[in-house]
Amino acid sequence: IAGYTNGANNNSVQGNIIGLINAGTALPECLPSDTDFWQVPLVGVVVNGRASGNTIGGTSAGAGNVITGAAHAQVDIDGTKVSGTSVLGNLIGTDITGQIALPDVCGTPTGVSINGATTTTVGIAGGGRNVITGQNIGVLTTMTSSTFTGPSGAYPGSGTTQITPLSSIIQGNIIGPLADGVTTPTVTQAYGVALTGNGDTLGPNNQISDNGVGVQIGGQVNSGVNESVIGNLIGTDKLGTTALPNGLGVNVLNGTGTQIGIPGQKANTISGNLENLALIQSATVQNNFIGTTDLGNAAIAPYAGTPSAAITAAATFTIGTTIFGSGALPPAQVALVTVGTQGAVIGGPNPGSGNVISGSPGADGLDVYGPSTVQGNMIGVGADGTTPVPNAGYGILNLAGNAGAII
C-alpha cells in the first residue's frame, strides 16, 4: 500500500493468507537462488509512501489475516509520511490455526515493524488482538524509515528520520505464546517488543511471555525516548497467575523519559521471568506488580516446564555483581528489580504511585546501584499492605554507597 502525490488512504487488507501454502498450513520452500523472491517474500504487507488510515485485518470475524513466512518483516509500516495505520486481529508468524508457529528459515524477521511512521495502532483487546510469534522481534518501533523505490522513484518519506513522536499504541496482543496464551512455540523470539522510537505506548492488555527479552527500551545504537509500558502481563500466562517466563522481562537499555507503569492506569504485572526488571538507564517505575500475580497479594506460581535455551541465554545479568566481590550474578540471585548506576525513581509519595515488589523466590526485592528515589512501595507484602509475600533476600539492598539514594 503506497502512494506518491495523493497517497494511498483508507484501504483494508482482510481475510487473506499471506506467505503460506497448503491452505495456510506450511511455508514455501526456501531456495538458495534468485527464485527466493518468488518463493519467500521479503515483506508480507508493506505500507509506505504517502499512506494514511489503512487497516491490516480488522475486529470482525474473518477480517484478520494470516501473515507468515516473509524473510524481513511480516508487516512493515515504513515511512515518515505514513500515518494512522491499524494492524488488528491477525495471526502473525503462525499457521491458520494460530496454534503452530512457522518460523522463517530464510531470514530473521520482525512481526510488525514500525519505521518512522506515526500514530500506528497494533491490536485492540478482544477481536482486534494480534498473535505475534515465531519471529526474531515481535514488534519494533524506530524513528528512521527504510528506502523504497517505486516506478516513479523513491517514495515520499523513504529513507528519512521522523522528527515528531511516533505515538504508536501496541495493545491487547499475545506476543510470544501461541493463540491460546498458554502454549509455547518451538522457536523463541529474541525480543517480544523493542521500542526505539519516541512517544510509543506499550499497553494495556498485552501478554508478553516466552521471549528472550520481553520488552526492551532502546538498543545498542538507537535510544527510546519517552516510551511508556502500561498495564501488561510480562512473563505470565494469560491469567496472570502462573509464570510463563521471558529470559529478561523488561530491559531499559538505552532510553530517556521511560515510564514503566503510570499511576491511575492499569498496573503492569512483571513476574515469573528469569530476571524481571533491569534498569541500565534511568526510568520511572510506578504502579506495578513485580514478582506477584496480577492481583498483587500472592507470589506468582512457578513455571512447570523448562525454559528454552534462548530464554536462558537472555537472562544474562549485566548491571550488578555480588556484594562480596566481582562476577555476574546467576538469574536465581538477581533481585526482582535492579537499578543500575544511572539511578531511577521507584514508586512515589502519591497514592497509586507505589509498586508491589514481593515474592522473590531466591533473591532480594530491590537492588540499587545508583542514585535513586524509592518511596511508597509494598516490599515483601501484598498490595493490601498486610498479606505476607516475602522476598528470600533483602527487601532493599542499597549498593549505591554515597551516590545519593533516597529511600
Side-chain angles (χ1 to χ4, degrees), residues 26-230:
L27 291 168
E29 184 179 1
C30 181
L31 299 176
S33 71
D34 289 343
T35 57
D36 285 355
F37 294 102
W38 299 104
Q39 293 286 338
V40 179
L42 292 179
V43 179
V45 179
V46 61
V47 183
N48 63 13
R50 295 185 187 276
S52 177
N54 296 290
T55 301
I56 313 302
T59 58
S60 60
N65 304 283
V66 182
I67 310 173
T68 301
H72 173 67
Q74 310 311 326
V75 179
D76 189 12
I77 305 164
D78 205 325
T80 57
K81 302 296 184 183
V82 175
S83 64
T85 307
S86 296
V87 182
L88 307 174
N90 303 286
L91 299 175
I92 298 174
T94 78
D95 72 347
I96 198 170
T97 70
Q99 284 298 114
I100 298 175
L102 296 173
D104 195 298
V105 297
C106 286
T108 53
T110 297
V112 179
S113 186
I114 303 168
N115 303 297
T118 58
T119 58
T120 305
T121 298
V122 180
I124 295 175
R129 177 199 71 188
N130 299 289
V131 177
I132 305 172
T133 190
Q135 309 300 295
N136 181 50
I137 302 173
V139 181
L140 169 68
T141 69
T142 186
M143 297 296 287
T144 302
S145 63
S146 306
T147 299
F148 286 95
T149 301
S152 298
Y155 283 105
S158 171
T160 59
T161 298
Q162 184 60 256
I163 60 173
T164 64
L166 300 186
S167 302
S168 309
I169 299 175
I170 304 160
Q171 59 184 350
N173 305 288
I174 296 176
I175 303 175
L178 297 171
D180 61 5
V182 176
T183 306
T184 59
T186 55
V187 175
T188 301
Q189 297 183 141
Y191 299 91
V193 179
L195 301 178
T196 64
N198 184 329
D200 302 304
T201 300
L202 177 61
N205 300 318
N206 296 292
Q207 180 195 1
I208 306 170
S209 302
D210 194 61
N211 303 281
V213 177
V215 179
Q216 179 148 308
I217 309 296
Q220 296 294 340
V221 176
N222 298 321
S223 64
V225 178
N226 298 329
E227 308 283 41
S228 299
V229 181
I230 306 168

Side-chain angles (χ1 to χ4, degrees), residues 259-337:
Q259 188 87 32
I260 309 299
I262 292 180
Q265 300 196 34
K266 184 176 182 179
N268 293 299
T269 300
I270 308 172
S271 301
N273 305 285
L274 301 191
E275 299 173 3
N276 283 287
L277 177 57
L279 306 179
I280 297 173
Q281 292 291 320
S282 182
T284 299
V285 180
Q286 298 178 323
N287 188 31
N288 301 280
F289 298 139
I290 304 173
T292 72
T293 68
D294 68 337
L295 297 179
N297 285 318
I300 195 79
Y303 180 52
T306 300
S308 71
I311 290 174
T312 302
T316 53
F317 185 64
T318 58
I319 297 176
T321 59
T322 65
I323 61 174
F324 302 108
S326 62
L329 297 175
Q333 296 178 26
V334 175
L336 293 174
V337 180

